[in-house]
Structure formats: structure tokens, C-alpha cells
Amino acid sequence: MQQQFRKTAIAVAAAQIALMASGVAFAQAGGAQPAGSNVVVVTGQRAALNSAQKVKQNSDEIVDSIVAEDIGKLPDRSVTEVLQRVVGVTIDRTMSKGDPEHYSVEGSGVNIRGLTYVRSELNGRDSFSANGGRSLNFEDVPPELMAGVDIYKNPSAEQIEGGIGGLVNLRTAMPFDFKGRKVAVSLQNTYSELKKGKWSPSGSVMFSDRWKTGFGEIGALVDFAYSESATRTDAFQVEPYYPRTDIEGHEGSTVWIPKGSQWRTLNFDRKRQGAYGALQWKKDATLSSSLTYFKSKYKMEWDEQAIFSSASTYNIKVRPGATYDAAGALLTGTLYDTADNGIDFGADTRAANRKSDTTDVSWHVSWRPNSAWSFDTDLQRIKANSNSFDSTVATAVKMQQENIDLRGNVPSLNFSDADRAYLANPNNYYWAFTQEHMDRSEADEWALKLDAKYTFDNPVLRDVRFGVRFTDRDAVTQNTNPSYNWAAITQQWQGEITDANGVKHLAYLGDPRFSNQTQTHSFSNFFNNNTNVPSLVFPNTALATGYPSSYATLHSYFDILCREVGTGTCAAWKPATYGTDPAGTNSQSEKTGAFYTQLRFGFDDLKYPIDGNIGLRYVQTKMKASGYAVFTPPDSLPTPGPNGTVTGPAIPNIAAYAQSRDYENTYHNVLPSLNLRMKAADKLQFRFGAAMGISRPDFTQLQGYTTLSQTNDTTSNGNNLVVNNVSLTGEGAGNPALRPIQSRQVDVTAEWYFAPAGSLTVAVFNKRLKDIIVNQTYSYPLQAANGETYNFNVTAPVNGARGTARGIEIAYQQYFDFVPDWLRGIGLQANYTYVDGKQKLYNPVYSAYCSGNNGGASNLNLSLNGCDTNGQAFGDLPLQGLSKNTYNIALMFDKGPLSARLAWNWRSKNLQGVNVSGTKGTDATDTNPNSPTRGSTGLAWGLPVWADDYGQLDASLFYNFTENLSIGVEAQNLTDSKYQQLMQQSIGMKGRAWFVSGPRYTASMRYSF
């Protein structure tokens, strides 16, 4: 495939050269276009704002822009950070939607007007990353290569379909953008205060020139960028609260107790590389062509040391003297567990890496045979790759007690000197488990676009445009099978390591046979020295990255103990299959065909001139997918000791299972649009936009892949085995039958451009959505060895809701030229967005309580409304990722050689997910008074998780020594802001996690001529 792609690039380049060489034969006589007619010269922050303002003012559609002062001068460290400055745009700060437990310092997903349905383009052409989505990972793209970013909020018929929330178009420079030769160099070095240690360099260099020759004018541009980032994130977490009626001193009344609090440190390193080249040729005003090559490469690595509670929930006790809030939730107290001889905690070292790249080769030909007709052709080839490795190795320790104080703005954990010494002693730890995951994705697309325009000689009709577009996209994703292969090394419930006396033989680090590559981690500078936590014993990172040989060594410890005890069958560790098992492969293909027509018009003779466009776009989509449903049983099933008994639910013995399936799906969409602009005065105008739009499901949501898993929660009591709970769950990676989300949207704006780089704009919008994709739980039956059928609760996406997103945007910017001379150059940029979003299920399934049934409305209730640890449902949840209030305030200064900015960004809380990792389980207490199983503790639960209000202050200061040379400093997160997550429970919003990453400082030098 890579060889084929290279051949394609060579063939397109050859065609471009051939067209240049034979330009005289194709061209007809016509007037020469003035050289540099599309030049935009911007110098300084103020000029950049003025250029962006002109883009917004003159656009046919509703658009906001950010324009670089010069190549390599976008005002933030990533495209994601750049976008958050735009009115109506917010960014997520977790690494991925499904993983709220890991923070992203530079931000991740982009929302526009509260919606995640965002398309991305590169120079007006579709672009994407191999992340299973339909847009670029904006954090993967070097901002140094960008000349500007445009955010379209209401579509026209000629725009490619697919972005209900909005469209982000990344613009690179072209050779003809400059009057002649242009060279630009930028160098940066960044320091993270929390990470400390080495600096992280970045840089870019661009060269562009143009020449007149005997067969037309030629322009060439090359641009290279390289960037590193090294950051650290510290985090506290509190486990969800459970209702308890057996706590000493509170017997018979209900208090809410978490099963522990935990902490972690994550070190993150990324490298980002970009290469861009452009070749332009223009014979005369009738014929021109361009060839562009864009490549973005991204590599990240992170490792973390994290301790987490793996305690048996209802064995946790609280010492007398604890305090509680008005709702009965624990505020201060000491947790302990005598039933398990201590609170079970895991101490894991996790290492992950991802490499991705996107390559785009595009060829454009423009032909103007006469003054009325013009034709444009675009041929594009995109290829994107991504592969990742995620590995966890864990030790375990029985914490004697944990004193928690939850009254402050972060948890305070208090340990005695004896407790600290115990936790720092390797002899108290044993080897617990390993978990590996690998995946690789490849996506490629051919796109052909043919456009025509006829320009009228008419006082009202401007032009009519029509065209077609065809795409052919394939995507293949390979995962390990099982996807995340959790495997015990030594665990309390493993019967194979229980001797004749019922004694568990665990692989303790104090045994010389098992003292393999561990470290005592001190958590130095934790939370920037604002808090203190004990040292813990973790596996070395090399054990996580050394898969599979390191895993084989660790699992041999179980074999040693099993043979030593000699009471059971020693089952060998089995690594996950990868690349050789068809059950781990998902393949998808999608073909689209679109036709559009659009009429542009203008009534210039009216008192208040009106212009605009009206159009219609038709698109057909055909997709195919193939996948599997797989079940991998646990390595071994818990068994009692000699002559022991088993109490509690039966543990099913289900054999491994794999079934393949193919899918097809076809749908059509008709998308009208209307955009109007009324000029009330030279500086005042109003817009109206109405359109229908679609957003196709992400490719991850279209996968036909389901994984089933079994978890056995048991406690040993001598030789006796107590089965607390058996969890049979599943995850549907996608649903190939999904349809696109659809919208009917209306926008009204008022725009006052009272000065260069001075404007006040207001926009009101209303988007009505249908076929919103939500998660639904259903039953997947499998038969056990004894012939009994067991139902797995599988969660998968469906088109299951309608909704609305409506609100208002206000944006203002101005330099205050009326102030005294010594203050000249000061300016203000501010914007505010309010979005009210609601969601209504097609089949409302709300009930006051969730139940323990494996099918029916109870499980829909869990996935769509969320269920608490007492079995109560929540309901009435908003659209995910939507913040009601967002604002930006930037104080600017631009005078003479000095340019500065102090920028504050803030967004209100938003729902991140329901029933997601870390805040879901199957051990809730059934408190439904009408339930036949009231009082049981085997109920499935999943909480809504929210990102709390968050604000961050950034700054920059640059000094221009000459017209060509400037140096400066930039700072991100000067306020050392804490990012907090909340979990919604019946007792209110409770703190789930607190993340800090500390300030970052960058020294910069820029030179251009």
C-alpha cells in the first residue's frame, strides 16, 4: 500500500510538470493576471487581527478566522489551543473521549457551539487522521505550518458535507501568496515547571520563491516543522461513594463511603514533525495549476505510576470519629478492612505510546476559457496510519488503613510514620497482574472533485456553481484479542496457589525468586509541592515496555508457586493474539457520491443591499464492514481450598467464543442551504443562514466488533470461597447500521466593523438534531459448559435520540487609539458563548430505579441515564461535551517593536460520559422497595462524569529588534489551574479527580526576510 501511494504521488507530480510544460497548448488567449493579486501582507499582532476580521466580513458564509502574523506565528503551542480562542469553540482536556482518567495538557477534542460533530479540512479539502474518526487530531498537526485557521459555522451547498457543529479549515501558504522570495525561521524552547528537567525544542523553516519563465510563472514553497513537548500531570482520585447501613456508630442509617482515594503521576513526551511543499504554475489568466504535499507525523510516549483501590466494597469499614456532610457522605475518616487483612490496592506502572502520520497529495487545475465560464478539478489522495502500544504491570499491597480528608479543594491523605514505612517496604507487595493492548489503523481515501461556475452579466444574478465529488475510503483496524488482555500473576482468588492448609502463596517481592525490577517512587514535587503522599513500590517501566519477554518472566512466578503447592492444574499464561487472528481485525469501506448546485445573487440597488447564495447538495453513502464477536474466558476460575465450600452466585464456565459477520449500509441525504447578507451601512451588516446538515458516524462507531468479558469478584475465608459478584459484560465497538446525525439549523448575526481590527459581532443560532448516537445496552447470550445460558450486558451505539443546541455568541475586539499617547497600542479581545443543549430519547426508558435484569429497559436506563451505586437512575442528562457558558478575554498591546498578549480562557462544566471507565461496576446495592432482590449487591451501575468549570491564563511577549527579527517568551497556564472532574450521585456532585500540570514557559526567536 505504501509503495502504491508513492507511485500515486509521483504520477500526480509528473502530471503537474507535464501540464506546466504543455501549458501553451491548453491555454487560450487572455489577459495576464497581475502577479501577487492574492497577496495578504500582515505584520504584527494588530495586522493579523485585521486580516482575520476581513475574512469574516467578506465571507459568503458565517465564519471566524485566526490569521498568523507570519509563517510559524500562530499564537499557541498547538492547533487545538489556537482553536479555543475562537468564539463558540471549546476543547476537551482528556486524552480521549472514552478515557476521562488521563489528562491532555495541550487539549484534545474540539467542540463547536457545544457539539462534537466537527469536520476538518486542509486547504478546503477533506482531511483526517487514522484515529477512527472523520477529522484530524488537531494536536497532531504542526501549527508552525499554518498560515491561518477558518471556522465555518453554517454551511453552503458547495462545501463538503459532514460537519453539523462546524468546519475547521487549516490553511497553508502558497508560493503566489508572496510577492517574491520569502524565508522564515522560528525557534522555540519550552520548559514545564512541574516536569522540570530538560527543555523541549521546536522549530520551523520555510522557503518560498516565484519565477517568470517562457511557459508561465512558477512558484515553489517548502516548509518544515519540528516540535517536542515534555509535560507531567499529577492527579488525585476518589472512588465512587456506596450507601452503607453497617458502619460503626451509624448502624441502621445510611451513610455514603468510598472504597478509597488514590493518586498518580503521568509523564508525557511527544514529538511532532511536519513537511509541506507546494508547486504553483500559471500560464496566464486562463490556466493555472498547483500541486501540494503535506505530511504530519506524531509520536507520543507516556508512563505513569498509579495506585488504585481494588478493595471489596462492602468489606470497607470506618473508624469511629468520622465526619459526614449533610447528605451523609464521608468528609473525614479512616478506612480499614479486617475481612481482607487490609485494603487491597494495586500499584501499577503503565506505559503507552502512539505513532501516527497523515499524508496528503493534492492536485488542482483551474481553467478559465472565457469571462463567463470557469472549471476547477481537484484530485486528492490521503493516507493515514496510526499504531499504539499500551502496557500495564502491577504490584499489589494491603494498605493497613487510609485516613481521608475531603473538605479541601483537593483530597488530603494522612498517613502515620508507620503507615508510610509499611507502604515503602517492598516486602509488603506482591506481583498482581499484567495487561497488554496493541492496535494499528490504516485509512486511505481517493477524492475527485469537479466544479464549474458560470458568471452572469446581470445586475442580480452573480454566478451559478455546480459540481460533483466522489470518494472511496477504506479503513482497517487491528486490535489484540482480547483487546485489553488482563491476566493475573498471583491473586487472592486463584485456587492453584492455595496449599492444603488453605494458605495463599503469592509472589511477594521479598522472596528473592520474585524480586524483579521494582522501584520505590517518592512522588517528589507532587502537585507542585502543595501536597504530600507516601512513597510506593512500583514495577520498573522497563517491565511494561519489555513485553512480551518481561510478561513471560512475571507469569513464570505463578508457575513456580503452582508447582510448589501442587494442588491444582497450572494454566500457562497466554499473550493476546495480534495481527494473526481474524477476530482482532475490523475492515470498513465507504464510497460517497455528491452533486451540488448553488446560485449566488445580489440586490445592490436596494436601500440596504442584500446578497447571498442558495443551493442544494445531494449525497449518497455506501459502506461495508466486517467484524467479530469474541469472548476470552479468564485464565482460571476461582476455587475453594481443600474441603472448602462456595457461597454466593454460581461462577459460569464458558468456553472461548468467536463469530464473524459482514454488514452493508446505504443511505441518501438531500441538503438545502441559504445564506443571506444585508449591508445596513459600510461598517454594519446582518446575516441569515439556514441549512440542513449531516455528520456521519465515526469509523470507530461503525465497527462490527463486540468483546465479551467475565469478571469474578470473590473473597477467601480460610478454605471457603465467597463469591461476591460475577460480572458478565461486553462492549460493542460500533454498529455498522448507524445512520448519520442530521440537523436543521438557523443562524442570525449582526456584525459591526467600526475600525481596522475593531469589531462587535453577535450571532444567534438554533440547531435541531435527530438520530443522535447514544449507547444502548442489550443482552448477548452465551452457553456455558453445563448447558446453561448466560446473558452478557453489552453496550453499543444506536441512533437513539433527538436534541437541540441553541444559543448566542458575542465577540468584540478593539485597539484603543483614543487613549493618551503613552497608552497607545493597548487593546482588548473578548468573546462569550452561551449554549443550551437538550436531548430526548426516541424510546424513553427512564425509571426511578435500575434493576438487575439482563435485558429490557433497565439496561437502557443504565447506559442512557446512568445508575447510582444505590440503584437509582439519574436521567435528564444534556448533550455530552456541551458547556453552557464559555468566554475568552485577552488584553493586548501592540506598539512599535513591542507586542504582548495576556489571555484568559474559561468554560463551564460539561458532561464527559456515562458508564465510563473508573466510574462503573456491577456491585451496586439494590434499594428499590419494589424489587424482589432488594438489599442484594450485584446490580450494574454507571455514573455520569462531568468536567468541572475550568479557566487558564496564558501570556506572550515579543520584541521586534528589526523588521525581520523578533524574540519573545510565551507562558501557558500561568495560574497553575487545577482541572477537576465530578461524578454525579444521588447525594449530589462529588469530586472524582483533580489534575495539575503546572505552568509551561517558551522562549522564541523568529526571523524572516
Side-chain angles (χ1 to χ4, degrees):
M1 186 65 72
Q2 184 67 29
Q3 184 178 6
Q4 179 187 358
F5 184 74
R6 288 173 180 163
K7 289 180 178 178
T8 302
I10 294 171
V12 172
Q16 164 77 355
I17 295 171
L19 181 61
M20 290 164 53
S22 57
V24 178
F26 287 94
Q28 297 182 10
Q33 184 175 332
S37 61
N38 59 344
V39 169
V40 177
V41 179
V42 290
T43 57
Q45 180 175 256
R46 185 167 182 164
L49 292 178
N50 187 35
S51 297
Q53 180 172 294
K54 288 179 179 178
V55 171
K56 180 179 179 70
Q57 182 177 3
N58 298 327
S59 172
D60 285 351
E61 292 84 28
I62 298 170
V63 62
D64 288 286
S65 292
I66 295 178
V67 176
E69 302 173 46
D70 206 339
I71 299 302
K73 287 190 178 181
L74 279 181
D76 287 284
R77 306 306 307 145
S78 72
V79 172
T80 312
E81 290 179 317
V82 169
L83 289 169
Q84 70 176 329
R85 311 293 177 192
V86 177
V87 64
V89 179
T90 55
I91 65 173
D92 193 13
R93 292 191 177 272
T94 58
M95 287 189 181
S96 65
K97 294 179 184 177
D99 183 12
E101 297 191 294
H102 293 96
Y103 181 76
S104 176
V105 175
E106 292 183 347
S108 54
V110 171
N111 289 16
I112 298 179
R113 292 179 167 176
L115 301 178
T116 59
Y117 319 126
V118 176
R119 271 194 65 248
S120 63
E121 291 184 348
L122 180 66
N123 295 322
R125 304 180 184 94
D126 199 19
S127 193
F128 53 83
S129 300
N131 60 350
R134 293 189 177 273
S135 63
L136 285 166
N137 278 340
F138 292 112
E139 60 269 28
D140 294 4
V141 180
E144 297 86 356
L145 299 182
M146 298 299 114
V149 182
D150 303 320
I151 300 92
Y152 292 87
K153 297 177 178 177
N154 194 74
S156 61
E158 66 178 333
Q159 289 181 342
I160 301 170
E161 72 285 344
I164 289 175
L167 163 66
V168 177
N169 180 38
L170 307 180
R171 287 186 286 111
T172 57
M174 297 293 286
F176 290 174
D177 290 346
F178 308 105
K179 293 181 179 180
R181 178 172 297 176
K182 177 71 174 180
V183 179
V185 178
S186 68
L187 298 173
Q188 297 89 29
N189 214 355
T190 300
Y191 179 79
S192 169
E193 184 174 302
L194 187 61
K195 171 95 173 182
K196 300 191 181 298
K198 68 174 184 178
W199 288 69
S200 302
S202 301
S204 67
V205 57
M206 186 209 73
F207 173 85
S208 179
D209 208 347
R210 54 195 296 178
W211 307 271
K212 291 186 176 181
T213 71
F215 53 90
E217 187 171 9
I218 297 175
L221 181 151
V222 291
D223 197 352
F224 299 96
Y226 176 85
S227 174
E228 292 184 11
S229 177
T231 58
R232 173 179 141 187
T233 301
D234 294 341
F236 273 115
Q237 287 181 318
V238 173
E239 287 289 301
Y241 294 73
Y242 287 79
R244 300 287 298 278
T245 58
D246 58 347
I247 298 301
E248 184 178 356
H250 296 272
E251 293 85 353
S253 62
T254 300
V255 292
W256 292 73
I257 309 297
K259 63 179 184 180
S261 180
Q262 50 224 19
W263 60 98
R264 62 178 67 194
T265 286
L266 185 146
N267 290 288
F268 179 90
D269 293 276
R270 69 119 172 100
K271 294 181 180 179
R272 191 167 52 206
Q273 301 176 59
Y276 169 67
L279 184 65
Q280 278 186 290
W281 169 74
K282 179 173 62 180
K283 176 60 183 176
D284 50 31
T286 65
L287 187 64
S288 62
S289 178
S290 64
L291 175 69
T292 58
Y293 172 88
F294 180 88
K295 189 174 186 69
S296 174
K297 297 180 68 175
Y298 180 89
K299 178 182 178 182
M300 73 85 178
E301 297 177 337
W302 59 262
D303 64 84
E304 72 170 351
Q305 286 72 45
I307 186 168
F308 59 95
S309 176
S310 56
S312 296
T313 302
Y314 299 99
N315 288 342
I316 295 292
K317 298 181 179 180
V318 184
R319 299 195 190 281
T323 63
Y324 301 84
D325 65 15
L330 182 73
L331 281 178
T332 64
T334 300
L335 308 180
Y336 68 104
D337 181 350
T338 55
D340 298 307
N341 298 316
I343 307 172
D344 285 312
F345 272 85
D348 73 26
T349 292
R350 184 174 178 183
N353 64 66
R354 179 170 71 88
K355 297 178 182 178
S356 63
D357 67 76
T358 297
T359 306
D360 181 318
V361 178
S362 299
W363 183 34
H364 177 81
V365 178
S366 181
W367 181 38
R368 309 285 187 267
N370 53 49
S371 60
W373 282 100
S374 62
F375 302 91
D376 289 272
T377 301
D378 259 315
L379 178 63
Q380 181 189 24
R381 173 68 164 159
I382 307 175
K383 185 174 178 62
N385 296 279
S386 178
N387 63 80
S388 71
F389 172 65
D390 188 341
S391 172
T392 303
V393 176
T395 57
V397 64
K398 288 185 175 295
M399 192 180 292
Q400 299 305 292
Q401 60 183 11
E402 186 176 41
N403 181 273
I404 303 175
D405 186 342
L406 302 176
R407 294 174 298 181
N409 57 1
V410 295
S412 176
L413 307 180
N414 305 298
F415 294 89
S416 67
D417 290 341
D419 291 335
R420 290 177 178 272
Y422 177 89
L423 291 173
N425 186 351
N427 295 334
N428 295 319
Y429 291 75
Y430 61 91
W431 292 103
F433 71 86
T434 62
Q435 179 176 270
E436 78 269 23
H437 166 81
M438 289 177 282
D439 66 68
R440 57 173 170 255
S441 301
E442 181 177 296
D444 57 83
E445 179 181 274
W446 282 99
L448 174 65
K449 187 157 71 85
L450 306 172
D451 296 307
K453 181 175 74 172
Y454 180 80
T455 303
F456 296 101
D457 183 11
N458 185 283
V460 174
L461 302 180
R462 302 283 169 82
D463 60 61
V464 61
R465 307 178 184 193
F466 51 91
V468 295
R469 181 175 183 263
F470 304 96
T471 69
D472 187 351
R473 180 170 173 179
D474 294 299
V476 177
T477 302
Q478 289 184 316
N479 277 275
T480 45
N481 182 26
S483 181
Y484 285 85
N485 185 36
W486 189 95
I489 301 176
T490 55
Q491 293 284 333
Q492 301 277 342
W493 46 262
Q494 289 175 300
E496 301 90 337
I497 54 176
T498 304
D499 65 21
N501 298 315
V503 177
K504 299 290 181 182
H505 289 237
L506 302 174
Y508 277 94
L509 305 187
D511 189 325
R513 298 174 297 174
F514 312 133
S515 57
N516 179 23
Q517 296 190 56
T518 59
Q519 58 170 320
T520 301
H521 189 78
S522 62
F523 293 94
S524 61
N525 193 36
F526 194 71
F527 265 62
N528 250 334
N529 284 326
N530 289 328
T531 188
N532 187 19
V533 292
S535 298
L536 300 171
V537 179
F538 292 98
N540 286 350
T541 304
L543 289 176
T545 59
Y547 173 87
S549 60
S550 60
Y551 277 40
T553 298
L554 293 173
H555 284 282
S556 71
Y557 302 161
F558 169 83
D559 301 333
I560 293 171
L561 293 172
C562 183
R563 289 193 298 267
E564 181 178 85
V565 171
T567 60
T569 301
C570 304
W573 168 68
K574 295 179 181 178
T577 61
Y578 183 55
T580 59
D581 186 350
T585 301
N586 289 277
S587 60
Q588 297 159 287
S589 66
E590 181 182 86
K591 292 180 172 62
T592 71
F595 169 79
Y596 80 91
T597 181
Q598 178 174 295
L599 176 68
R600 294 177 69 246
F601 54 86
F603 299 92
D604 296 335
D605 295 333
L606 297 177
K607 180 179 179 181
Y608 301 113
I610 295 175
D611 59 18
N613 62 65
I614 185 171
L616 184 72
R617 188 175 188 90
Y618 167 82
V619 59
Q620 180 191 68
T621 306
K622 295 182 177 181
M623 68 84 57
K624 296 181 180 180
S626 61
Y628 270 79
V630 298
F631 169 68
T632 302
D635 287 341
S636 59
L637 298 178
T639 57
N643 301 316
T645 61
V646 178
T647 58
I651 299 176
N653 183 9
I654 305 174
Y657 168 84
Q659 182 181 9
S660 63
R661 188 173 176 185
D662 296 323
Y663 308 84
E664 291 188 8
N665 190 12
T666 300
Y667 51 85
H668 309 256
N669 297 99
V670 178
L671 309 172
S673 64
L674 171 68
N675 289 278
L676 298 174
R677 176 177 60 171
M678 183 182 74
K679 296 181 179 179
D682 288 342
K683 297 180 180 180
L684 178 65
Q685 62 186 32
F686 300 88
R687 294 183 188 269
F688 172 84
M692 293 180 63
I694 63 170
S695 281
R696 295 185 182 91
D698 286 347
F699 276 81
T700 52
Q701 296 175 310
L702 292 168
Q703 292 183 87
Y705 190 68
T706 302
T707 56
L708 308 174
S709 60
Q710 174 181 342
T711 303
N712 307 307
D713 180 14
T714 62
T715 302
S716 296
N717 183 10
N719 286 346
N720 299 323
L721 183 72
V722 179
V723 181
N724 300 314
N725 185 51
V726 176
S727 173
L728 301 176
T729 59
E731 296 288 339
N735 176 2
L738 288 174
R739 303 181 302 275
I741 303 157
Q742 301 181 57
S743 75
R744 298 172 183 264
Q745 51 199 61
V746 176
D747 295 77
V748 178
T749 74
E751 304 167 8
W752 180 31
Y753 301 101
F754 52 81
S759 62
L760 174 64
T761 62
V762 179
V764 179
F765 58 90
N766 184 11
K767 297 177 186 285
R768 297 170 56 193
L769 311 174
K770 72 175 185 177
D771 289 343
I772 296 171
I773 297 173
V774 295
N775 284 331
Q776 173 178 298
T777 303
Y778 64 94
S779 294
Y780 197 106
L782 279 186
Q783 196 173 71
N786 62 1
E788 186 175 351
T789 298
Y790 290 86
N791 289 317
F792 287 73
N793 294 328
V794 177
T795 302
V798 297
N799 295 104
R802 63 176 56 91
T804 57
R806 54 174 65 102
I808 185 170
E809 298 173 344
I810 304 173
Y812 162 78
Q813 66 180 25
Q814 182 179 12
Y815 279 91
F816 304 118
D817 296 328
F818 53 82
V819 298
D821 188 65
W822 63 276
L823 275 177
R824 290 276 177 92
I826 196 169
L828 181 67
Q829 190 175 38
N831 62 61
Y832 167 76
T833 306
Y834 172 81
V835 185
D836 181 28
K838 295 183 179 179
Q839 178 174 286
K840 184 177 181 180
L841 302 176
Y842 287 159
N843 300 304
V845 294
Y846 177 78
S847 60
Y849 290 88
C850 299
S851 73
N853 296 333
N854 286 324
S858 61
N859 287 317
L860 297 179
N861 211 15
L862 167 66
S863 298
L864 300 177
N865 300 314
C867 294
D868 203 355
T869 53
N870 65 352
Q872 291 186 8
F874 297 100
D876 196 27
L877 297 176
L879 293 168
Q880 291 187 19
L882 184 150
S883 288
K884 280 196 171 184
N885 299 283
T886 308
Y887 67 86
N888 287 280
I889 298 177
L891 184 65
M892 305 175 295
F893 184 81
D894 199 3
K895 182 180 181 182
L898 192 62
S899 181
R901 182 188 68 156
L902 191 65
W904 172 258
N905 171 267
W906 184 90
R907 68 178 296 190
S908 62
K909 72 177 183 180
N910 63 93
L911 180 65
Q912 290 190 300
V914 182
N915 195 26
V916 295
S917 176
T919 50
K920 65 179 180 179
T922 55
D923 60 350
T925 299
D926 187 353
T927 61
N928 183 357
N930 299 316
S931 172
T933 59
R934 184 182 184 188
S936 64
T937 57
L939 194 66
W941 61 275
L943 304 180
V945 176
W946 299 70
D948 201 4
D949 305 346
Y950 181 80
Q952 180 174 303
L953 182 67
D954 305 320
S956 64
L957 176 66
F958 281 88
Y959 187 86
N960 298 315
F961 285 92
T962 68
E963 183 179 348
N964 307 109
L965 175 65
S966 66
I967 65 169
V969 292
E970 299 170 89
Q972 289 82 38
N973 194 18
L974 279 171
T975 45
D976 193 14
S977 297
K978 284 187 291 290
Y979 177 78
Q980 183 175 356
Q981 289 175 338
L982 306 171
M983 49 189 175
Q984 185 174 347
Q985 297 204 244
S986 304
I987 49 177
M989 291 286 186
K990 310 303 293 182
R992 163 60 180 168
W994 296 257
F995 299 90
V996 296
S997 58
R1000 292 176 293 151
Y1001 306 98
T1002 301
S1004 298
M1005 185 277 289
R1006 298 166 177 169
Y1007 181 72
S1008 64
F1009 62 91

